[in-house]
Amino acid sequence: MKILICYFSGTGNTKKIVDKYKEEFEKLSIEITIHKIEEPFFNYNLDDFDLFGLAYPIHAFNAPSIVLNFLKTLPKQENKKRVFILKTSGEPLSLNNISSLKAIKILRKKNCYLTNEYHYVMPYNIIFRHSDNMAFKMWDTAQNIIPIDCLEILNNKKAKLKHVFLGSFIAWIFRIEFWGGRFNGKKYKVNEKCIKCQRCINFCPTHNIKIENGKICFGRNCIMCMRCSFFCPTNAIKIGLFDKWKVNGPYNFNNYNEDEKESHNKYCKKSYQKYFSRCEKKFEDINKK
Ligand SMILES: Cc1cc2nc3c(=O)[nH]c(=O)nc-3n(C[C@H](O)[C@H](O)[C@H](O)COP(=O)(O)O)c2cc1C
């Protein structure tokens, strides 16, 4: 069996999930190809694959615009193609489920049909910084659950997420973020801490950042993925109207730190608990069998 996963990841969370999928599929001797959506797609033909996976981070209850635009460019398939969707988001609210509705609609036009959909909670790259302990727990949970999800996909055991009433309409309203991002992106600035390393320029998935007359300038093609400000080594980028929500610097997913303080432990507490216990139950049930 051959699988193609096309993914977009602003700050690495979705990539981590996709890499884990690759590892698991390879353990099962599945031939897997990974395509980064921001790179040219010419080398692939969907017809050469038995299964098509799409992975993205949720942006304002939607798939990022770069993902939807990519899907629109896909040719219509002659034969029906099975699709699975993997998504990551900072909080586990079920409203996040609506993020795939537009993608599913576009995929249907391409003769591609969703059978499996999975949502992994990963730390926020905007709004506030989760603790590293929370990041550790999220990643640990995802790692336990992904092997089970991989088997579901391979065994054609359907898994779909429930969408709220009027989900498409709500998602459509939130797609104002696509325009908001472009408007706000123009307001990005670097401050005196900038060391002109040009990491932001080289990393930007839409080539929206340039250096002109020795100054870092931001254009109108920002998709609010946060890659530039998240990975800025001196935290020099101000992200316009959302600067108070900025998260800078990668998470440490690997160590549990007993002494670390959790500063947002009340935020969506029940929702996170529900997510973790649902995953634990799925893991335990499978292990009992
Ligand atoms: C512009 C923007 C909008 C976001 N909107 C949501 C959202 O609606 N719901 C949510 O739970 N997380 C939201 N997030 C958080 C990301 O989905 C989350 O941190 C994700 O794991 C980032 O993945 P990445 O590192 O692959 O980009 C948003 C992040 C950004 C940058």
Side-chain angles (χ1 to χ4, degrees):
M1 177 181 266
K2 282 181 164 184
I3 301 182
L4 171 71
I5 301 186
C6 297
Y7 80 95
F8 175 71
S9 179
T11 55
N13 289 343
T14 311
K15 182 179 184 307
K16 250 177 127 55
I17 298 291
V18 170
D19 287 346
K20 180 70 186 161
Y21 263 83
K22 183 172 188 299
E23 187 188 312
E24 286 307 314
F25 280 138
E26 278 174 349
K27 272 188 208 160
L28 301 163
S29 308
I30 304 289
E31 203 178 305
I32 171 135
T33 305
I34 306 290
H35 169 69
K36 208 172 172 183
I37 283 178
E38 64 210 67
E39 288 172 359
F41 187 63
F42 311 126
N43 298 339
Y44 306 114
N45 182 351
L46 268 190
D47 281 332
D48 296 340
F49 298 91
D50 305 294
L51 260 173
F52 172 40
L54 178 74
Y56 61 82
I58 296 172
H59 282 184
F61 306 112
N62 277 283
S65 53
I66 193 170
V67 173
L68 297 180
N69 290 339
F70 163 77
L71 292 180
K72 285 178 195 163
T73 65
L74 293 178
K76 187 170 176 178
Q77 300 304 295
E78 267 184 33
N79 302 313
K80 268 190 180 181
K81 180 111 356 229
R82 259 184 73 203
V83 179
F84 61 92
I85 291 184
L86 318 172
K87 41 201 184 180
T88 70
S89 83
E91 96 274 303
L93 295 182
S94 52
L95 191 57
N96 279 315
N97 294 353
I98 63 174
S99 75
S100 51
L101 287 171
K102 182 71 182 172
I104 295 170
K105 200 171 163 190
I106 301 172
L107 283 162
R108 250 189 249 132
K109 287 187 188 153
K110 311 288 179 180
N111 209 11
C112 298
Y113 293 88
L114 181 83
T115 54
N116 294 65
E117 188 177 16
Y118 301 99
H119 176 195
Y120 304 97
V121 180
M122 291 292 271
Y124 268 140
N125 58 358
I126 191 171
I127 301 187
F128 65 79
R129 190 175 181 86
H130 276 111
S131 66
D132 279 346
N133 285 346
M134 188 63 152
F136 173 89
K137 187 163 185 188
M138 289 170 174
W139 177 226
D140 189 51
T141 303
Q143 287 189 100
N144 284 336
I145 217 80
I146 287 172
I148 304 170
D149 297 344
C150 280
L151 284 177
E152 279 186 3
I153 294 171
L154 294 178
N155 294 333
N156 207 353
K157 183 176 175 212
K158 291 196 172 67
K160 292 198 188 173
L161 299 171
K162 278 191 191 141
H163 300 131
V164 295
F165 178 59
L166 293 179
S168 293
F169 177 64
I170 300 169
W172 175 76
I173 292 175
F174 276 100
R175 282 204 285 282
I176 192 159
E177 187 253 352
F178 295 178
W179 283 275
R182 291 164 81 93
F183 169 79
N184 185 59
K186 196 72 190 126
K187 296 193 175 305
Y188 279 31
K189 279 192 175 62
V190 293
N191 63 20
E192 66 295 340
K193 290 191 270 178
C194 175
I195 53 168
K196 309 268 182 338
C197 66
Q198 304 196 21
R199 190 186 268 220
C200 54
I201 296 178
N202 297 329
F203 275 17
C204 177
T206 59
H207 311 289
N208 191 44
I209 313 172
K210 291 191 174 63
I211 188 155
E212 279 171 8
N213 302 324
K215 273 178 73 182
I216 305 284
C217 305
F218 298 84
R220 286 207 183 276
N221 282 327
C222 180
I223 53 165
M224 293 272 292
C225 72
M226 299 298 136
R227 198 182 289 171
C228 58
S229 58
F230 190 82
F231 290 111
C232 175
T234 56
N235 193 10
I237 302 178
K238 296 192 124 213
I239 58 165
L241 303 172
F242 300 101
D243 204 51
K244 288 218 163 70
W245 285 1
K246 183 172 57 172
V247 176
N248 175 256
Y251 286 93
N252 179 354
F253 288 95
N254 299 323
N255 295 316
Y256 192 85
N257 175 1
E258 301 263 314
D259 302 325
E260 189 187 36
K261 279 191 188 138
E262 182 69 71
S263 47
H264 293 91
N265 50 358
K266 292 212 172 90
Y267 176 81
C268 286
K269 196 174 171 180
K270 277 196 181 149
S271 236
Y272 285 109
Q273 275 170 352
K274 249 168 101 179
Y275 169 76
F276 290 128
S277 15
R278 201 176 51 238
C279 293
E280 266 163 39
K281 190 171 177 314
K282 190 169 182 178
F283 182 69
E284 280 165 12
D285 285 354
I286 288 286
N287 282 326
K288 265 186 225 156
K289 281 182 197 167

